[in-house]
Amino acid sequence: MPKYTNNLIHETSPYLLQHAHNPVAWNAWNEETLEAAKQSKKLLLISVGYAACHWCHVMEHESFEDEEVAKVMNAHFVNIKVDREERPDVDQVYMNAVQIMTGSGGWPMNVIALPDGRPVWGGTYFKKEQWVNALEQIAALYAKQPEKLEEYATKLEQGMKAMDVININTETPDFDTPFVASIIKEWSRYFDTNNGGIGNAPKFMMPNNYQFLMRYGYQYDNPKVSEFVNTTLTNMAYGGIYDQIGGGFSRYSVDDKWHVPHFEKMLYDNGQLVSLYSDAYALTKNLLYKKVVIETLEFIARELTDTSGGFYSSLDADSLTEAGVLEEGAYYVWTKEALKAVLAADFELFSEYYNVNGYGYWEHKNYVLIRKDSDQDFVSEHSITMETLQNKKSAWKSKLLKERDKKERPRLDDKILTSWNALMLKGYIDAYRVLGNDTYLETALKNANFIINNQLKEDGSLFHNYKNGKASISGFLEDYATTAEAFIALYEVTLDEQWLKTAKALTDYTFDAFYNESSQLFQFTSKKEQALVVKTFEYRDNVIPASNSIMAKTLFKLSHYFENQYYYKVATAMLHNVKPEMSKYGSAFSNWLDLMLNYTLPFYEVAIVGKDAMAKISELNTHYLPNKIVVGSRGENELPLLKNRFSEGKTFIYVCENSACKLPTTETEEAINIITH
């Protein structure tokens, strides 16, 4: 029996359960805990992390498992542990506070707040001595001069409220090419044209940045931008950030050549990267990109998929070594000796291909596999055929995956989050759209039905989380935005209108529960839920695009599907209001910029009507066409773009712009020609 058990034992989050036997008297974030703090007039200690976070585990071991530290925490504070993935709203509010107080943020995040929740002190990782000293000083100040903390809390609250303020743009909306070009010009100063990526180490993959830049390079015929995107995608796929043996991407690279990753694997990264590489393959027909999509989805199916059809959240960075020590990357790295034992005579060629040398060396006799050369260059240099290389690679991966499976696997965070599932769902849909693999569509439909059957409530609202057959946290804006976007994409490859209508219903619900008239944006937390100390409006794009930018794009698309002028007006106003800030920092507004291209360049509605509609759509989907929506039916249909367009025995393609259509054609190539010229 464990010596200690606290209130986290009743939770479902793997991260919270990891702390259930700490001597710290942890509680979950809920109304009861917050009310207890108010009644006892004790300060709140709010510690935020997530299951795959290496430094969260370090701080737990050093401080939260220590009985002396726990005595200080329990004596002076109501202690709350938060899984940031379960409660992104709480994380966002207190991360804003930490960034104001310290100038930076990260996890673990630790904040002291007044009993009413307003923060007064915070930071990220602390060593044990620093942590205890800080807690004792704050507890003493609160006991002797509480008014000082009260005064600071009031000032900080004002700063937090100002962080997400968007001023209404009173100028006439004007989205033009020179504005976008000026952002690209400034942004490109930070492009690493040798290794790919933005800036120096550490390097995050930022999939949405490259979705936009790929589209911009293609539609504006800008070879420099296109080349930069291809350099980035190629080097990410060559790097150790991509699991060369098992597929899938880690969270970020600690160096500038994408070599040594921070080894945790997150669902949200991989979902978006599958979409990105699928589109990149559609555009370039580069077989490397196709391989990345296939191998990443094999990884998702093997390691992050529940039998229910839901997708798990992450794999930890840390795993056990042969000596039983928890170490970062232990599962993924190789020594020369281990590789020689498995590969035997093939080791030399393998080590040339994957740089088991000074270029691929990491630390402690371990190597992180990384490529340097294209397959074409490699076969030329080593005088072997492409077929021989591909067969060898397949055999190498199979043997090493089998060997790796003998190791202790990284810890799995098996909670299911609606928003992240929707990102992965869209990844599967995009892979099916481009590669035509029916298994991908089957997986997508299973996941979409999982969301409908488990996460969608009778009143039209969504749950955010799911674990052990139970959903307990109400959805945030990100859940609605990502799910609606994925369902529209699913409609476009199936023509099953339930997905389009559900996307519309979710969007309509967000107007009731999230839309804020005064800011003309959607707030992150539902108006129907208990309010936090400040309202937050997520509008800056990050590793995951902002929920407001996804909403604006969804409204733009739905306005075309349903000829709904209100949706169009709101999407346009949202884009117009963030425009002044966009020019300062392109990377934080790439999804908004992608939407802006729908205004600066022609945007098409492609309506396909007739018995061969699905075949025509499949032909269309082999091409990269980012400036269109697809609507179709095999027979009569009442959707505005399809009404009165069915002709018995024929399949017509209508290419329309703002509902004004060109003469219909029966030839897919002709329709593509209209869109691309």
Side-chain angles (χ1 to χ4, degrees):
M1 285 287 290
K3 188 174 179 183
Y4 299 99
T5 301
N6 57 50
N7 286 335
L8 298 183
I9 197 68
H10 307 298
E11 298 303 306
T12 58
S13 155
Y15 176 67
L16 298 185
L17 288 169
Q18 283 169 17
H19 296 77
H21 299 297
N22 292 167
V24 176
W26 291 118
N27 300 280
W29 180 280
N30 54 45
E31 287 184 37
E32 294 76 16
T33 303
L34 298 173
E35 189 54 40
K38 285 177 187 172
Q39 294 300 324
S40 66
K41 295 186 177 169
K42 267 187 169 184
L43 291 171
L44 292 168
L45 189 157
I46 303 156
S47 181
V48 184
Y50 59 100
C53 165
H54 170 73
W55 288 102
C56 300
H57 302 320
V58 173
M59 190 162 176
E60 179 194 12
H61 179 65
E62 290 176 350
S63 293
F64 305 148
E65 291 176 356
D66 186 284
E67 292 182 355
E68 294 306 309
V69 175
K71 278 181 188 172
V72 175
M73 291 173 68
N74 296 340
H76 301 292
F77 304 94
V78 172
N79 301 295
I80 300 179
K81 207 40 157 140
V82 176
D83 179 342
R84 69 172 293 256
E85 297 165 358
E86 269 198 343
R87 294 303 304 249
D89 57 335
V90 175
D91 176 59
Q92 206 173 85
V93 164
Y94 291 107
M95 183 59 74
N96 285 351
V98 168
Q99 286 175 334
I100 290 170
M101 288 186 277
T102 68
S104 63
W107 299 276
M109 172 174 65
N110 294 286
V111 172
I112 308 290
L114 296 177
D116 62 9
R118 289 181 298 151
V120 294
W121 177 87
T124 52
Y125 164 77
F126 294 92
K127 290 184 177 175
K128 177 179 162 184
E129 294 76 17
Q130 292 175 309
W131 179 240
V132 172
N133 287 341
L135 297 187
E136 287 176 337
Q137 284 177 35
I138 293 162
L141 183 61
Y142 184 60
K144 294 171 186 170
Q145 296 175 293
E147 68 281 358
K148 284 202 169 179
L149 290 180
E150 180 72 37
E151 186 184 332
Y152 182 67
T154 303
K155 285 180 184 171
L156 184 56
E157 184 183 8
Q158 295 309 311
M160 290 164 68
K161 285 177 177 173
M163 276 190 86
D164 283 338
V165 168
I166 282 269
N167 295 317
I168 302 300
N169 191 343
T170 54
E171 295 178 8
T172 305
D174 180 24
F175 310 127
D176 58 23
T177 296
F179 177 78
V180 181
S182 69
I183 293 174
I184 296 285
K185 186 179 178 184
E186 174 62 23
W187 192 358
S188 64
R189 291 169 50 204
Y190 303 96
F191 291 176
D192 180 347
T193 52
N194 293 319
N195 298 304
I198 312 288
N200 303 313
K203 274 186 176 169
F204 289 82
M205 291 170 290
M206 307 297 285
N208 187 258
N209 280 194
Y210 303 106
Q211 282 282 15
F212 162 68
L213 291 169
M214 180 167 64
R215 179 179 174 184
Y216 178 87
Y218 168 70
Q219 287 198 267
Y220 279 106
D221 194 20
N222 186 316
K224 281 189 177 177
V225 171
S226 295
E227 188 181 341
F228 167 66
V229 172
N230 280 313
T231 298
T232 300
L233 267 57
T234 298
N235 285 329
M236 279 171 18
Y238 283 179
I241 196 166
Y242 180 68
D243 182 350
Q244 299 293 338
I245 300 305
F249 290 86
S250 295
R251 188 164 153 252
Y252 65 89
S253 169
V254 301
D255 53 63
D256 62 4
K257 65 180 184 182
W258 307 104
H259 179 213
V260 177
H262 210 282
F263 287 91
E264 69 262 46
K265 285 180 167 180
M266 314 301 293
L267 183 69
Y268 62 77
D269 280 322
N270 285 283
Q272 293 180 92
L273 287 162
V274 167
S275 292
L276 174 61
Y277 277 89
S278 296
D279 280 339
Y281 176 69
L283 176 59
T284 65
K285 299 299 183 276
N286 183 335
L287 291 173
L288 172 69
Y289 300 163
K290 181 180 179 180
K291 194 74 173 165
V292 165
V293 171
I294 292 167
E295 290 178 347
T296 300
L297 291 180
E298 285 173 352
F299 153 69
I300 295 295
R302 187 177 65 243
E303 300 188 44
L304 289 182
T305 303
D306 188 70
T307 53
S308 65
F311 301 118
Y312 302 137
S313 293
S314 66
L315 287 168
D316 203 334
D318 302 344
S319 48
L320 291 173
T321 62
E322 286 181 11
V325 179
L326 206 58
E327 256 181 33
E328 197 178 348
Y331 185 70
Y332 300 102
V333 298
W334 300 91
T335 62
K336 275 188 181 179
E337 292 69 31
L339 290 169
K340 284 177 181 174
V342 176
L343 300 170
D346 257 3
F347 171 75
E348 289 304 324
L349 191 67
F350 177 92
S351 65
E352 289 279 324
Y353 190 80
Y354 286 115
N355 290 285
V356 186
N357 52 33
Y359 188 75
Y361 183 74
W362 181 31
E363 61 181 19
H364 310 313
K365 297 186 179 178
N366 288 316
Y367 293 82
V368 177
L369 304 182
I370 181 172
R371 289 176 56 186
K372 249 185 179 178
D373 304 314
S374 70
D375 284 356
Q376 195 59 57
D377 288 347
F378 190 83
V379 297
S380 299
E381 191 182 329
H382 291 82
S383 303
I384 57 174
T385 66
M386 185 64 77
E387 186 182 7
T388 300
L389 176 63
Q390 297 308 328
N391 288 340
K392 281 187 177 294
K393 276 170 63 179
S394 206
W396 295 341
K397 288 181 182 185
S398 178
K399 286 178 183 175
L400 290 172
L401 200 56
K402 197 173 175 184
E403 184 66 21
R404 193 168 80 176
D405 278 345
K406 295 175 186 175
K407 296 184 184 183
E408 187 77 26
R409 297 173 74 81
R411 288 180 290 194
L412 170 71
D413 185 334
D414 61 352
K415 69 175 177 291
I416 293 169
L417 300 174
T418 303
S419 52
W420 295 10
N421 269 246
L423 293 171
M424 193 67 245
L425 167 59
K426 188 162 185 301
Y428 268 101
I429 296 163
D430 290 335
Y432 169 73
R433 170 172 56 79
V434 174
L435 302 183
N437 185 327
D438 288 337
T439 306
Y440 299 161
L441 180 60
E442 287 164 19
T443 303
L445 287 167
K446 189 174 181 182
N447 181 257
N449 282 303
F450 169 85
I451 292 172
I452 292 284
N453 295 331
N454 296 285
Q455 303 305 90
L456 185 61
K457 302 184 216 174
E458 284 186 13
D459 67 355
S461 65
L462 287 168
F463 282 113
H464 175 63
N465 67 327
Y466 181 90
K467 179 89 177 2
N468 301 336
K470 180 182 166 191
S472 56
I473 298 168
S474 293
F476 305 102
L477 183 62
E478 65 177 36
D479 298 301
Y480 294 84
T482 51
T483 303
E485 180 179 55
F487 282 4
I488 291 171
L490 188 53
Y491 165 75
E492 289 191 305
V493 297
T494 63
L495 301 186
D496 183 344
E497 279 179 42
Q498 75 151 317
W499 305 116
L500 187 61
K501 287 173 179 173
T502 306
K504 184 181 185 301
L506 289 169
T507 301
D508 290 340
Y509 182 88
T510 63
F511 277 102
D512 293 334
F514 295 90
Y515 190 59
N516 185 287
E517 289 280 355
S518 60
S519 68
Q520 296 182 358
L521 288 173
F522 295 83
Q523 58 192 57
F524 189 75
T525 307
S526 171
K527 292 180 264 188
K528 300 179 182 183
E529 297 300 312
Q530 184 187 23
L532 300 177
V533 289
V534 293
K535 281 180 198 160
T536 55
F537 295 87
E538 185 188 60
Y539 69 89
R540 296 177 186 94
D541 297 322
N542 206 309
V543 174
I544 299 174
S547 43
N548 267 291
S549 68
I550 303 173
M551 280 303 306
K553 284 176 86 169
T554 297
L555 286 165
F556 178 89
K557 285 187 176 181
L558 291 175
S559 77
H560 287 264
Y561 279 114
F562 294 101
E563 290 187 351
N564 186 316
Q565 282 305 304
Y566 181 65
Y567 290 168
Y568 185 82
K569 181 184 164 190
V570 173
T572 305
M574 291 170 75
L575 180 60
H576 184 51
N577 288 335
V578 299
K579 184 186 171 190
E581 199 177 326
M582 289 167 72
S583 57
K584 298 170 193 168
Y585 190 37
S587 179
F589 294 92
S590 55
N591 207 38
W592 293 105
L593 286 163
D594 195 77
L595 172 60
M596 193 174 280
L597 294 189
N598 294 349
Y599 291 85
T600 61
L601 295 163
F603 186 86
Y604 297 101
E605 304 113 359
V606 182
I608 306 178
V609 189
K611 61 182 176 60
D612 297 326
M614 287 308 303
K616 299 288 185 193
I617 286 172
S618 295
E619 290 171 14
L620 201 69
N621 285 340
T622 60
H623 297 262
Y624 178 67
L625 302 167
N627 55 327
K628 57 108 177 71
I629 57 166
V630 172
V631 59
S633 68
R634 296 177 190 84
E636 295 281 2
N637 194 286
E638 291 301 304
L639 281 172
L641 289 163
L642 300 175
K643 203 168 183 179
N644 302 324
R645 290 204 163 133
F646 176 67
S647 292
E648 193 70 52
K650 293 182 179 177
T651 301
F652 283 122
I653 305 172
Y654 297 82
V655 178
C656 315
E657 193 176 349
N658 293 324
S659 301
C661 302
K662 314 278 185 192
L663 287 172
T665 178
T666 56
E667 300 302 317
T668 310
E669 284 302 322
E670 194 177 328
I672 290 165
N673 199 43
I674 295 168
I675 296 167
T676 56
H677 289 86

